[in-house]
Amino acid sequence: MNARILIIFITLILIVSSCTKMKVQGQEDVDGNTYERVDVYSDIKPKEGVRPLAMGFEANDCEFDMVYVSGGYLHPKDEDRREEYINHFYIGKTEVTQKLWTAVMGYNHSFFVDEENPVETITYDEAVEFTHRISSIIGRNFRLPTEMEWRFAAYGGNASRRTTYSGSEKFWEVAWLFENSGDHTHHVGTKLPNELGIYDMTGNVSEWCSDLYYGNYGDSSNNGYSYFHIHRGATWSSIAADATIMSVSRKYLYTSNSQVGFRLVMDCD
């Protein structure tokens, strides 16, 4: 009897240990820290100020990761802009790939066709429609980033070294730009990440943000309507001098070309 109880007890321990291990899908080193890919249903919570941490998701058999960004203050270099607090959120480890886009939307009309490249040639409205569909599939609230969230993540959040490009002073370490792209997009995540383990926030494709563009930041409370949305991050055709984190641009909301893609943001519970 005692032997049978012992066997049952050992079996239960092995089951619990196995379930615990399933929560962490993999590890990799990012800027000297350990980056964990955690299952969406895990009870493991992000540890603020300790290390980058991501949650892994699957949409129609296509996996992708969201990186946790601890809340903090965005310290603007521009003298005419106030310091702003950014609430914590999750942001895509990479730009949305053609593989993920196709899994959710069922089509892909990117110009540079490769499932591991960022999706492009999509309008702002199509990007928003994607966020609605993937939210419905997964049951979490995905959306486009605000401009301030995008900038905060690009600078590396609270771990920021305030580099010119996202993660480095040397653009070729972190970005695909005019000088090194060969006039086309590249697989996501093939350059170095920034301080939070986020890839391609400089170069490859620029990224739609949810904010309207009124011509200057002082007009953010403008009651009029704008046909332009802000996009950030520079593109495979941008020269390095115009590809800094501070660089801001805008696109007509119906624009779709091979230079513009997007990245997901997910609200924290």
Side-chain angles (χ1 to χ4, degrees), residues 38-93:
V38 181
D39 187 84
V40 61
Y41 299 110
S42 170
D43 58 2
I44 299 175
K45 299 299 182 183
K47 298 178 181 179
E48 293 192 14
V50 177
R51 59 188 179 186
L53 185 145
M55 295 181 73
F57 293 89
E58 183 178 297
N60 295 338
D61 297 323
C62 183
E63 295 184 348
F64 64 99
D65 290 346
M66 302 292 292
V67 176
Y68 178 71
V69 182
S70 177
Y73 284 96
L74 177 65
H75 301 278
K77 290 183 178 180
D78 333 36
E79 293 183 1
D80 61 333
R81 301 188 67 180
R82 296 193 304 268
E83 182 181 85
E84 297 188 45
Y85 184 82
I86 311 297
N87 290 322
H88 51 278
F89 59 95
Y90 284 89
I91 193 167
K93 179 182 177 182

